[in-house]
Amino acid sequence: MSASYRQTSPTPTQIDKRVANIRRALVGSVVGTTVSSRQKASTQDPGVRGPVWVSRITYPAPPENDLQKVVLDAIKEFGDGTERYDIPNIGGLEAQWIGWRGGVEKKEPEAPGCELEKYENLMREVKNKDLTVFYVYGGAFMSGGPHSCRSICGTLAHLTGGRCYTVRYRLSPEHTFPAALLDVLHGYLTLISPALGSFHAPVAPSSIVFAGDSAGACLLLSLTQVLLSFARTHPVTPTPTILFHGRHMSLPLPAGLAMTSPGLDQTMGVPSWMSNASTDIFEDQLPAITDGQPPCAIWPSNPPRGHPYAESLTLLHPLASPCTTKRGYWKGAPPMWIAMGGGERLLDAAKVVARDAASDGCIVQWTEWERMPHQFVLMCRDWWQGEKAVTLWAENCIKLVGRGGKGLDHGGYRMRVDGMEMEINVEELTSLTRDDIMSGMRRTAEAMKVWTGERQGTSHMKAQL
């Protein structure tokens, strides 16, 4: 089947040029800058303009520690006891509702009014009351904020007729795994069991779609496994519950997941990391651990470690890198829609998750876009691939809340540069086994250096202890 966008398809040369330009710009943006300065810049909200409603709210921390226990229990279920991580506390949570604001120009300033009034205005324009998109933004776990996904959330709200919701999660290197995961779980529970003073009524899990990109998609898959773990490790009858703001509540799954460019291997050890080196926007190493990275107050860490997100070997944990999840543990997961660029360096990690989830009985729709780089859905909207991917993203968010969560079609498609679509078998996306994945990732993790910020010859790093 051919795509109707074929005439606007970029040539392979144009794709290569765009990828090279983005890579060059990313490198240029980090040269000579500290992790703290980059993080500060990325978290600055430029303000609201254009056809979006934004309503901000801050939730108090729950007085109970049940959420913390749920995450820690899941870590223990998946782990082998060798993981090293700090136990995060549960804090307050900043959240934003995002919806489409019709009839205004791109540069229209934010409408005046209190946050409740903005929420009420947003809800007046929501046409699909049965869809709430819980969106988690990407940023390598080190950058961004709720404003980062404002544009795509506005688009998804417009195309679906629904509304979007996002929360600010804690960033590394100051806040390591599993702090961000705990915040995302907290965010999900504020949707289905609102705290006192919330603008919204409780949202049925069957009306919620988890959506995200890159590291955000990783956090949502990890959150899904936390929910599955809670169900696995607690008796079915009576329904297991936790305490949240004094109320007993269960931990139900959402209607489904809709993700683009999920980053599911934090070690960068899957085979495609090297085989797709020329077709993606990333350099071989994270900027934070490359020679020449100026030290700052938050990096290197104290004590020093080899990776901003977690201790090197802890990156192998399935809740940090979901591609290491064992077969059988995706059983019961909600339907998933995944869009991945064929040129992405983390392609193999996403293939393994999609294949294993499908093999465990999960409905999975996989779309792979030939030669497209990481985040092409957000960065290449002027190409037919980006335009069509966003359209499919919205369409499948709607399908995920339809027919009792079974509206998504199971299957795989490869979108060629020339606009042709080829059907592929999701259960046969890759021949890589979990042992293949684990061995490569372990080698990479064990070879990581502890970044100290001190020059040693030509390097800022020393061997991992």
Side-chain angles (χ1 to χ4, degrees):
M1 181 169 61
S2 63
S4 60
Y5 308 89
R6 184 191 293 187
Q7 291 81 358
T8 60
S9 175
T11 66
T13 300
Q14 289 172 323
I15 295 172
D16 291 345
K17 184 176 180 181
R18 168 91 47 107
V19 169
N21 287 341
I22 294 173
R23 187 188 304 124
R24 191 178 304 114
L26 288 174
V27 171
S29 68
V30 302
V31 171
T33 63
T34 63
V35 169
S36 56
S37 66
R38 296 196 297 270
Q39 189 174 97
K40 182 179 179 180
S42 76
T43 56
Q44 297 300 306
D45 190 333
V48 179
R49 286 189 177 275
V52 289
W53 287 108
V54 175
S55 174
R56 307 163 183 83
I57 188 168
T58 299
Y59 298 104
E64 310 89 357
N65 288 325
D66 288 33
L67 296 189
Q68 183 188 65
K69 186 177 186 304
V70 167
V71 171
L72 297 181
D73 285 349
I75 293 174
K76 291 176 183 177
E77 187 202 3
F78 283 104
D80 59 11
T82 64
E83 301 83 15
R84 292 191 295 166
Y85 54 91
D86 294 326
I87 298 176
N89 62 357
I90 305 172
L93 194 69
E94 296 179 40
Q96 292 188 12
W97 288 98
I98 303 171
W100 181 252
R101 181 185 175 195
V104 301
E105 300 296 326
K106 288 184 177 181
K107 295 184 179 180
E108 183 80 14
E110 183 175 19
C114 70
E115 299 303 324
L116 177 58
E117 289 174 330
K118 294 172 186 176
Y119 177 76
E120 292 171 342
N121 288 331
L122 180 156
M123 288 302 299
R124 275 191 278 270
E125 298 206 39
V126 171
K127 299 176 182 177
N128 185 352
K129 306 293 185 182
D130 295 326
L131 173 62
T132 296
V133 175
F134 179 35
Y135 197 100
V136 180
Y137 50 87
F141 307 101
M142 298 177 65
S143 63
H147 64 281
S148 305
C149 60
R150 191 170 291 157
S151 175
I152 189 60
C153 282
T155 299
L156 289 174
H158 179 46
L159 294 177
T160 63
R163 56 181 178 172
C164 296
Y165 179 79
T166 189
V167 298
R168 184 185 299 278
Y169 58 85
R170 284 170 284 186
L171 301 175
S172 67
E174 285 184 286
H175 304 285
T176 54
F177 169 85
L181 179 56
L182 179 59
D183 293 341
V184 172
L185 172 61
H186 187 181
Y188 178 48
L189 295 197
T190 61
L191 272 180
I192 62 179
S193 183
L196 185 67
S198 299
F199 300 153
H200 67 287
V203 183
S206 59
S207 296
I208 298 173
V209 172
F210 287 176
D213 61 272
S214 194
C218 176
L219 287 169
L220 288 170
L221 281 167
S222 298
L223 172 58
T224 300
Q225 280 295 350
V226 168
L227 301 176
L228 289 169
S229 174
F230 183 77
R232 279 193 300 266
T233 55
H234 289 75
V236 176
T237 305
T239 302
T241 62
I242 63 166
L243 271 177
F244 184 63
H245 289 289
R247 300 185 297 273
H248 286 277
M249 60 175 295
S250 59
L251 293 180
L253 291 160
L257 297 94
M259 304 163 287
T260 65
S261 295
L264 308 181
D265 165 23
Q266 312 321 321
T267 70
M268 303 176 293
V270 291
S272 58
W273 184 259
M274 297 311 299
S275 61
N276 281 355
S278 64
T279 55
D280 208 357
I281 60 176
F282 297 124
E283 293 292 301
D284 288 345
Q285 286 188 315
L286 286 174
I289 58 175
T290 55
D291 188 40
Q293 170 65 59
C296 63
I298 65 174
W299 189 250
S301 57
N302 184 21
R305 59 179 183 272
H307 193 283
Y309 188 49
E311 294 287 349
S312 301
L313 290 176
T314 302
L315 298 173
L316 300 174
H317 193 282
L319 296 184
S321 295
C323 66
T324 65
T325 303
K326 294 179 180 178
R327 286 274 186 100
Y329 282 83
W330 291 110
K331 185 178 181 180
M336 305 178 189
W337 179 82
I338 304 171
M340 199 75 181
E344 297 200 42
R345 299 190 76 167
L346 291 176
L347 178 63
D348 284 340
K351 281 184 174 181
V352 166
V353 168
R355 180 203 61 195
D356 290 353
S359 298
D360 282 350
C362 178
I363 297 173
V364 177
Q365 187 176 125
W366 168 271
T367 56
E368 182 180 328
W369 305 73
E370 185 182 12
R371 298 183 73 98
M372 289 294 102
H374 187 68
Q375 294 282 41
F376 77 96
V377 180
L378 303 183
M379 296 191 296
C380 302
R381 295 278 298 278
D382 55 323
W383 289 347
W384 74 263
Q385 290 96 331
E387 179 188 355
K388 185 172 183 180
V390 169
T391 301
L392 289 174
W393 200 355
E395 289 176 354
N396 285 293
C397 282
I398 296 172
K399 289 181 179 179
L400 284 167
V401 297
R403 303 210 315 260
K406 297 181 180 179
L408 190 73
D409 297 324
H410 183 78
Y413 303 90
R414 183 170 288 117
M415 313 295 192
R416 293 188 349 192
V417 171
D418 63 7
M420 299 295 292
E421 297 179 9
M422 299 176 59
E423 192 169 348
I424 53 179
N425 190 331
V426 182
E427 286 82 357
E428 298 176 0
L429 278 178
T430 176
S431 61
L432 289 169
T433 66
R434 182 177 182 273
D435 286 344
D436 295 334
I437 291 290
M438 285 292 292
S439 62
M441 292 175 62
R442 184 173 293 279
R443 282 195 303 271
T444 305
E446 289 175 345
M448 284 184 183
K449 311 284 187 175
V450 170
W451 200 85
T452 65
E454 299 175 356
R455 284 195 178 276
Q456 298 182 7
T458 59
S459 176
H460 282 263
M461 299 173 288
K462 65 182 180 181
Q464 176 79 49
L465 297 176

